[in-house]
Amino acid sequence: MAEYQLYCFAQSGNAYRVALMLALTGADWAPMWVDFFAAGQTRTPDYRSDINEMGEVPVLVHGGRKLSQSSVCLTYLARRTGRFLPQGEEQELEAWRWIVFDNQKVNGMLGPYRFLRTIAKPPGDPAVLAFLEGRAKGALAIVDKRLADRPWLLGVQPTIADVSMCGYLYYPAEEFGFDIAAAYPNIGAWLDQLKALPGWKHPYDLMPGHPLPA
């Protein structure tokens, strides 16, 4: 059995953060496919009692530990491996500042926007979609400005803040209706740098469950 198991599915950017961290650190891990769409697995009593009471992915299993929330999983893996770990209190606080902003404003808006636009049947209300898109684009502009004078969010080295921030940003442009990398060139260059790191894989190649059945 692999050292780590990750409950995930290919369409989840939140799970992708942790899958990518495992891949980038060269961890011995195995994906555990969660049938979120057809079976509603995360909403079942068994999943909530045995896997995650919050009814979410990702869930990272390591020995007797079951960790949920991607930021907790990223922090755990960074501490275990020594990779992508913020150095010192000031950098740690700065990393968490961007992780919280990401979870609330960047991928926190992009995730539901993409789901309601592309995956939900029927699609979401146009007014709701317009609101989420506007908030997401405003947050992306802040990240793009941040990356104008530095290669990574915290400076010269990638950290878990970068791994977190890219959660939804590699999904195809047609799923969003706009090309994030083209619209925000500094983000585009940063995504290319992440893609060049050894071990990087696209979410649809790293986690099971793509494509969805028609």
Side-chain angles (χ1 to χ4, degrees), residues 46-208:
D46 284 349
Y47 188 91
R48 296 196 175 200
S49 63
D50 299 339
I51 308 301
N52 183 7
E53 63 189 324
M54 297 175 180
E56 298 176 334
V57 298
V59 176
L60 179 67
V61 180
H62 187 222
R65 282 187 164 132
K66 284 192 180 85
L67 302 173
S68 63
Q69 300 301 320
S70 60
S71 54
V72 172
C73 298
L74 292 178
T75 300
Y76 180 77
L77 290 169
R79 290 175 177 173
R80 294 280 310 182
T81 65
R83 301 282 306 282
F84 304 100
L85 187 67
Q87 299 300 308
E89 184 181 36
E90 289 303 316
Q91 197 173 77
E92 182 177 330
L93 292 171
E94 187 68 357
W96 273 100
R97 190 169 78 100
W98 284 100
I99 289 171
V100 172
F101 180 75
D102 163 40
N103 279 254
Q104 292 184 337
K105 299 293 180 64
V106 184
N107 291 297
M109 296 293 166
L110 277 176
Y113 168 71
R114 168 176 162 266
F115 176 81
L116 292 173
R117 182 185 185 276
T118 303
I119 300 173
K121 297 179 181 179
D125 184 284
V128 174
L129 288 170
F131 172 80
L132 292 171
E133 182 181 9
R135 293 296 296 272
K137 287 181 173 178
L140 286 167
I142 292 171
V143 177
D144 195 66
K145 182 178 179 181
R146 172 74 174 186
L147 292 167
D149 61 355
R150 68 196 73 206
W152 305 101
L153 284 169
L154 302 193
V156 298
Q157 297 293 333
T159 68
I160 55 173
D162 299 282
V163 180
S164 178
M165 187 67 73
C166 77
Y168 280 91
L169 304 188
Y170 286 110
Y171 287 103
E174 57 266 25
E175 296 184 4
F176 298 103
F178 66 99
D179 188 328
I180 293 170
Y184 303 94
N186 297 319
I187 290 177
W190 167 79
L191 289 172
D192 286 342
Q193 288 187 141
L194 272 169
K195 191 185 295 188
L197 294 176
W200 181 92
K201 286 187 178 180
H202 190 277
Y204 287 154
D205 296 325
L206 199 54
M207 300 180 293

Side-chain angles (χ1 to χ4, degrees), residues 21-39:
M21 182 72 171
L22 288 162
L24 292 175
T25 58
D28 175 27
W29 73 286
M32 309 292 287
W33 181 56
V34 175
D35 188 351
F36 178 84
F37 297 101

